[in-house]
Amino acid sequence: MPTTSHTKHPKKPPIPGPSSRILTRLSVRESVLLASLSAACLAVLFQILVRHEDDVAAPLVASAAFSGLAFALSYALIRWLGREFMRVGFKGRDMGKGREQGSVEIPETMGAVSAVVYLLVIIVFIPFPFYKDIVAATSGGGNRDFVVEVKHVETGRFLHRFPHSKLASYLSAILSLQSVVLLGVGDDLFDIRWRHKILIPAFASIPMLIVYFVDFGVTKVVIPTPLQPYFGELFDLGYLYYLYMASISIFCPNSINILAGINGIEVSQSIIIALLILFNDLLYIRPHLLSTLSYLPTLFSTASTSETAASPHQRPPLHPRAAFLPRHEMPSTSPHLFSLYLVLPFLGVSLALLQHNKYPARVFVGDTYCYFAGMVFAVVAILAHFSKTLLLLLIPQIFNFVYSAPQILGFVPCPRHRLPYFEERSGKMEASWVRWGGALAKDEEISNNGGTTETKNKSNGHAVQGQNGSATATTPSPNSSSAPPTLPKYRTLPSHKRKSLNSLIQSALRLLAHLHLLQIEETTRPTISANTAANTTSDADKKGKQSKKEITACTNLTLLNLLLVLLGPTHERTLAWMVSLLQFLCGMAGLWVRHRLAGLVFDRDNL
């Protein structure tokens, strides 16, 4: 009688099942934590309002409190509105998972929820950074013992003291962000082709550029010290500088969108960039930070309101190094405070979104979040005047764009989806390929460039995201019994799109393959057709007609696929962590170059 073995084999940790990936309500623990965080933030804001603080630390503390509220509200709304988004059609399947885990539908375009919460928070925050200026403009320069007659206030006696330019910059930032969120939602609704949507952020940047032109208008750049004898100390770019800023506004949102394809990657890279911007801002406002740290213990003190509301000229400094700051700020202080006011709430909503989008994703962020996140970076960099520093923080995005340029510009065939391939047997991600020549395997995808994705024997759904977004699939037909579509390792172009590459492009691909930055497949083909060779009368001519190798496939040109080429098959969570670590290390290296090496070629800090 045969016996069965009861030996236990080690199993891979399973991916959470479909039911665990769909959450529509908060747990008791989450409710308590979010309620506690909201109560603490509201208490801080209430104390600031009651005490009528006009200290420089008060707006920064208020911004941090609003960031906590933004996290709590965004976290709860993402959970509550997921089912409603699916009801109206914002849903999809994760094509980077296996058949079982990829069969569950999860909400899409949830980045729009975080974007709307962010906009509401920074609108409500407007009175806090301008409180001391409102006091100075309407009640005697901040001295509450000085009484101004009503008629003088109504006629605007002190309104010239109000910083209208700062308010205009803040409002233009809000208007640009609102515009890009609306355009992003339109892209998620209508799935605009990437050739057309690449210029979407340019329209959203118009309000910001107009305010920059009216209130600031500086178009000069500092020339490096070794070149100053030839070009002078400053060089005026004129309207080319506005073209440069518009290019920044276009690049930042699209760079976040291009570096996508696995769970959590869009949000995690945005959070790291925001943290690097935050760190850079703190380097410029260190005395303000010391003042803020000294201000916090006094916020809930028992001192009377009249004592704490004394004029800043009469109040002793909160910190020895902060004595000169309230009225004599450095030129770089105000722009970087402006940056902090926009970055802190962004971190709040993004951290809440990451909790739902990290592996295994329970929601998809959509193109709206990519545009929104990139535009936040562009707005703070342009209006706070550190756009060159921002480029140093976007080194992985710049590399990914340059590396992807041959496919984006059409020199190398580009399939609709370039995300890595998920191998079900190992549970790991592998580099995906694009094939434009050779024989077509039965299980390979036939992908029209920019059109509907179809797979042989797997045509129950179609892709709804662009080639640069998260790969999702719409709901298959209710009458269909087949499994949902999955992306194969090779994405093969249809016959009418398949053509040979020119020799220069093939040489460049071979060079990248030699440097281990790419994998290629080559096919040996004769230089003449079989009919021509049969009609050749001379044996010498036949020997002279030799075959040649031609590249017919290569790995897709994205940073994610490059890492998989270099490291081999990798788990999706590990790959996301590696990209995040790479983003952090490159950003810190960029800040080191900015604050250490820049002094070797520039004689001043030009932000």
Side-chain angles (χ1 to χ4, degrees), residues 403 406-407 412-413 431-438 489-490 501-524 549-557 561-562 564-566:
Y403 184 69
Q407 281 190 312
V412 176
S432 62
W433 291 66
V434 57
R435 171 172 289 167
W436 58 89
K489 186 173 184 178
Y490 287 85
L501 303 181
N502 62 55
S503 57
L504 182 61
I505 299 298
Q506 294 198 47
S507 299
L509 294 180
R510 289 190 179 95
L511 176 61
L512 291 175
H514 180 72
L515 297 175
H516 303 286
L517 299 178
L518 187 71
Q519 291 179 353
I520 60 175
E521 283 187 0
E522 295 182 305
T523 301
T524 302
K549 288 187 176 181
E550 182 177 308
I551 299 177
T552 57
C554 71
T555 52
N556 282 302
L557 301 176
N561 285 302
L562 174 60
L564 293 172
V565 168
L566 295 174

Side-chain angles (χ1 to χ4, degrees), residues 73-153:
L73 184 59
S74 182
Y75 191 101
L77 288 178
I78 290 173
R79 187 68 59 82
W80 294 335
L81 297 179
R83 188 71 68 183
E84 301 301 323
F85 271 57
M86 296 179 65
R87 184 179 302 172
V88 297
F90 286 111
K91 57 184 176 181
R93 293 187 173 93
D94 195 341
M95 287 179 141
K97 301 292 187 295
R99 292 181 177 275
E100 180 181 355
Q101 304 302 329
S103 63
V104 58
E105 292 178 340
I106 58 178
E108 276 189 309
T109 320
M110 297 307 293
V113 176
S114 298
V116 171
V117 171
Y118 174 85
L119 291 173
L120 293 176
V121 166
I122 62 176
I123 289 174
V124 177
F125 175 70
I126 290 177
F128 289 86
F130 298 100
Y131 175 76
K132 67 176 183 179
D133 300 303
I134 295 174
V135 172
T138 59
S139 60
N143 186 356
R144 293 173 176 79
D145 298 327
F146 180 77
V147 180
V148 180
E149 296 182 9
V150 176
K151 63 179 182 180
H152 291 157
V153 176

Side-chain angles (χ1 to χ4, degrees), residues 415-469:
R416 182 177 177 83
H417 294 294
R418 299 188 297 165
L419 73 159
Y421 164 69
F422 176 74
E423 175 55 56
E424 287 195 71
R425 289 172 294 182
S426 63
K428 296 182 178 181
M429 309 296 290
E430 298 180 4
S432 62
W433 291 66
V434 57
R435 171 172 289 167
W436 58 89
L440 177 61
K442 292 183 178 180
D443 61 343
E444 289 183 3
E445 175 190 31
I446 303 177
S447 174
N448 189 349
N449 202 5
T452 301
T453 301
E454 297 178 355
T455 306
K456 190 171 183 179
N457 298 326
K458 304 170 187 176
S459 58
N460 299 324
H462 64 276
V464 296
Q465 289 277 4
Q467 65 177 7
N468 301 327

Side-chain angles (χ1 to χ4, degrees), residues 219-237 388 598-606:
T219 58
K220 296 180 180 180
V221 295
V222 179
I223 300 299
T225 304
L227 300 178
Q228 288 184 3
Y230 307 99
F231 300 98
E233 184 178 359
L234 299 174
F235 183 78
D236 190 2
L237 293 177
K388 295 180 289 296
L600 301 178
V601 293
F602 293 101
D603 58 357
R604 66 179 65 178
D605 187 352
N606 62 339

Side-chain angles (χ1 to χ4, degrees), residues 172-187:
S172 70
I174 295 176
L175 187 57
S176 293
L177 292 171
Q178 286 177 334
S179 301
V180 81
V181 169
L182 291 175
L183 294 171
V185 172
D187 182 25

Side-chain angles (χ1 to χ4, degrees), residues 2 29 98 102 121 161 172 179 233 242 246 291 354-355 501 535:
R29 179 175 177 272
V121 166
R161 300 181 181 179
S172 70
S179 301
E233 184 178 359
Y242 292 94
S291 177
L354 181 62
Q355 296 301 312
L501 303 181
N535 296 331

Side-chain angles (χ1 to χ4, degrees), residues 481-546:
S481 59
S482 301
T486 58
L487 291 178
K489 186 173 184 178
Y490 287 85
R491 290 88 197 260
T492 305
L493 300 179
S495 57
H496 67 280
K497 293 283 186 179
R498 298 160 71 183
K499 60 181 180 179
S500 301
L501 303 181
N502 62 55
S503 57
L504 182 61
I505 299 298
Q506 294 198 47
S507 299
L509 294 180
R510 289 190 179 95
L511 176 61
L512 291 175
H514 180 72
L515 297 175
H516 303 286
L517 299 178
L518 187 71
Q519 291 179 353
I520 60 175
E521 283 187 0
E522 295 182 305
T523 301
T524 302
R525 293 185 178 181
T527 56
I528 59 173
S529 63
N531 294 333
T532 306
N535 296 331
T536 305
T537 56
S538 173
D539 293 338
D541 291 340
K542 291 182 179 181
K543 293 180 180 180
K545 304 296 183 180
Q546 299 179 354

